Amino acid sequence: AVLSFTGLSDSWGLRFSAAFMLSCMFVDRLRDLLRKLEYAVCLTVSHIVDPKLHTLSQATIITLSVLLAPIHFAVICVSSVLMAPVVPVFGLPIFLLGYPRPLRCLPSLLRSTSNHSNDASTPYYKQMLPSILAAIRRHVSSGMLSRARAGDFFALRKEPYFVWVQMLEEGNDYVIVTVKGLELQTTSCHTVEANVVDRIFENSVFADDGGGGD
């Protein structure tokens, strides 16, 4: 007698593929849920601890956070399933479900009539672009950016230059990124933002060095 296992093998392979796809989706949504929970907790604690954020009294914030905790958790769960953002109302630790939107966008797909080549800072960033892309390629190949995922941002800072790098897509042997440079025209807002970023970078370096270093 000849037994055929073709149908059984195809059925098992289909079930395995479906189970693998569902498990990957579950892990991705779970990771997104944990990130949003961390964001909600950090925002709530910041409003309680930081006096500059006391638009409401500490007692009011704590009471609202405790009473609304089940609702906030449900909102975050739904937002993770729908891949929608969580929006704090007026910057307060009161969270609502935002409208679903694309996580990232390829600039080549945008139809823009503005010409950015006339900007005075464009030539400087064009000269920096090859070295930035080479550094990203080198770090990805060496595994230094192995934990980077699509949607992550990287800030590059050198003297007056400030560059945002967003990873749009990553695969086994390639990454797609967008590189945006801050205009070199100095304004009060740019100065404040640059000072804050410099302090964050300095604190990160000192923390890595064990609290000191040149």
Side-chain angles (χ1 to χ4, degrees), residues 68-91:
L68 298 177
I71 300 177
H72 288 164
F73 182 74
V75 168
I76 293 175
C77 290
V78 173
S79 69
S80 297
V81 173
L82 299 179
M83 300 180 64
V86 174
V87 180
V89 179
F90 301 115

Side-chain angles (χ1 to χ4, degrees), residues 90-168:
F90 301 115
L92 297 173
I94 301 174
F95 305 98
L96 298 177
L97 183 65
Y99 188 81
R101 65 193 67 177
L103 295 178
R104 59 198 66 90
C105 183
L106 293 171
S108 59
L109 301 180
L110 296 178
R111 296 182 178 179
S112 177
T113 57
S114 60
N115 185 7
H116 299 283
S117 61
N118 295 328
D119 192 286
S121 59
T122 300
Y124 297 96
Y125 289 113
K126 280 187 176 180
Q127 294 181 10
M128 298 168 59
L129 183 60
S131 59
I132 293 175
L133 296 179
I136 294 175
R137 186 182 300 109
R138 183 171 61 253
H139 291 329
V140 171
S141 301
S142 63
M144 294 183 63
L145 297 178
S146 59
R147 300 188 63 180
R149 295 294 182 266
D152 289 349
F153 285 88
F154 301 92
L156 309 180
R157 171 80 168 148
K158 181 175 176 60
E159 297 177 352
Y161 306 105
F162 193 92
V163 178
W164 280 107
V165 178
Q166 183 185 13
M167 184 175 293
L168 300 179

Side-chain angles (χ1 to χ4, degrees), residues 39 43-44 46-47 53 55-56 61 87-95:
Y39 164 72
L43 183 61
T44 303
S46 298
H47 272 271
L53 299 177
T55 54
L56 299 177
I61 295 175
V87 180
V89 179
F90 301 115
L92 297 173
I94 301 174
F95 305 98

